[in-house]
């Protein structure tokens, strides 16, 4: 990929481009990674896959390889058909050299606990990458018991999931970096609570139209919006890769 900002450079590997993982005090640093069309659509026929390409896939894999935990909303995990995390052998070796586990763990945020516990994400997960289910105390107790059979259950909050509390708990367990892959409501919740340390946005060279969801969904974050600053920008095969951090 070609770096455009801050200093132009050719042939930058995605793992190098995103190596400066954001940090935060008292919790893991949180990156949100999303892909959107030129006109702002984040899905094509209900899924994000139609917006991607080889260049986007390389960045997707690089971001996952750098994270300790991949955070995702239950609806996105269902829609996108999430399975256990997979990385190439060289990526696994690089993680070990950095002192990380062989694979990142996937953490699913759900209050209702209405998940298919026999899905690949749970049924095929290796022992050293056991999924995490992030839920609230007010969720169904039977669902928590079922979840505990196939995942580690992290309870944070009473009626709703307390994202800040969940991140603090993950940090206390040694998690230093979290990659959030959506969906839009989870992205907005992180931003609204000041928990978004970097937004990685892939701009796909595609026009989609329609009135589908945006990168963040829900009410306004703040009067006038939340200012962000451009941290870095790259180009590869017509895709633009933007990295923004809080101003």
């Amino acid at each position: 990929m070609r770096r455009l900002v801050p200093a132009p450079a050719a042939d930058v590997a995605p793992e190098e481009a995103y190596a400066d993982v954001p940090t935060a005090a008292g919790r893991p640093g949180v990156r949100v990674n999303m892909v959107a069309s030129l006109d702002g659509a984040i899905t094509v026929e209900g899924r994000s896959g139609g917006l991607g390409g080889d260049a986007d896939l390389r960045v997707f894999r690089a971001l996952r390889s750098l994270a300790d935990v991949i955070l995702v909303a239950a609806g996105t995990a269902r829609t996108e058909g999430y399975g256990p995390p997979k990385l190439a052998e060289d990526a696994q070796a690089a993680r070990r050299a950095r002192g990380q586990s062989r694979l990142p763990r996937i953490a699913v945020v759900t209050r209702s606990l209405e998940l298919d516990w026999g899905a690949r994400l749970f049924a095929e997960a290796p022992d050293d990458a056991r999924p995490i289910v992030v839920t609230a105390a007010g969720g169904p107790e039977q669902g928590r018991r079922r979840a505990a059979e196939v995942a580690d259950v992290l309870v944070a909050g009473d009626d709703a999931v307390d994202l800040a509390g969940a991140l603090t708990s993950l940090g206390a367990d040694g998690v230093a970096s979290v990659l959030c892959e959506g969906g839009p409501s989870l992205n907005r919740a992180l931003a609204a609570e000041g928990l978004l340390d970097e937004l990685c946005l892939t701009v796909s060279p595609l026009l989609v139209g329609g009135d589908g969801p945006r990168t963040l969904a829900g009410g306004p974050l703040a009067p006038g919006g939340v200012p962000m600053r451009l941290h870095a920008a790259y180009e590869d095969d017509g895709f633009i890769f933007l990295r923004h951090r809080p101003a």
Side-chain angles (χ1 to χ4, degrees):
M1 61 196 310
R2 182 166 56 100
R3 187 170 63 213
L4 308 175
V5 174
D11 298 327
V12 179
E15 293 78 10
E16 176 187 350
Y18 291 88
D20 56 329
V21 177
T23 60
R27 61 169 176 82
V30 177
R31 272 175 165 161
V32 169
N33 181 43
M34 296 291 287
V35 60
S37 67
L38 288 170
D39 55 321
I42 63 167
T43 60
V44 177
E45 297 179 353
R47 299 185 65 177
S48 63
L51 292 167
D54 289 343
D56 175 57
L57 182 59
R58 287 191 290 271
V59 168
F60 173 82
R61 288 172 174 165
L63 286 169
R64 281 191 158 202
S65 75
L66 294 165
D68 293 324
V69 166
I70 298 164
L71 189 70
V72 62
T76 297
R78 283 191 294 264
T79 300
E80 301 290 342
Y82 268 54
K86 295 182 179 180
L87 293 176
E89 289 294 332
D90 59 342
Q92 293 182 35
R95 288 177 62 87
R96 293 191 191 98
R98 292 193 297 267
Q100 292 177 290
S101 60
R102 181 177 67 95
L103 295 167
R105 300 175 70 187
I106 293 181
V108 183
V109 180
T110 171
R111 185 195 181 281
S112 69
L113 293 159
E114 293 178 357
L115 289 166
D116 178 3
W117 305 114
R120 290 190 308 113
L121 174 59
F122 302 105
E124 300 177 13
D127 292 340
D128 59 348
R130 184 173 168 87
I132 303 168
V133 171
V134 182
T135 190
E141 184 178 348
Q142 183 177 359
R144 287 200 302 276
R145 287 198 299 268
R146 182 66 182 91
E149 296 175 6
V150 293
D152 292 339
V153 178
L154 194 168
V155 178
D158 296 322
D159 292 332
V161 175
D162 175 5
L163 292 173
L167 289 169
T168 299
S169 294
L170 289 173
D173 286 340
V175 174
S177 58
V178 168
L179 173 67
C180 177
E181 296 180 346
S185 296
L186 177 57
N187 295 344
R188 186 218 175 263
L190 289 169
E193 295 182 35
L195 303 173
L196 192 161
D197 302 304
E198 181 173 301
L199 174 61
C200 300
L201 178 64
T202 298
V203 181
S204 172
L206 191 67
L207 290 172
V208 174
D211 55 358
R214 294 161 47 187
T215 303
L216 275 67
L221 293 176
V226 175
M228 304 285 285
R229 62 177 175 85
L230 180 63
H231 182 69
Y234 300 84
E235 184 276 334
D236 190 3
D237 196 26
F239 289 81
I240 300 295
F241 301 91
L242 302 173
R243 298 176 59 195
H244 282 81
R245 292 185 175 183

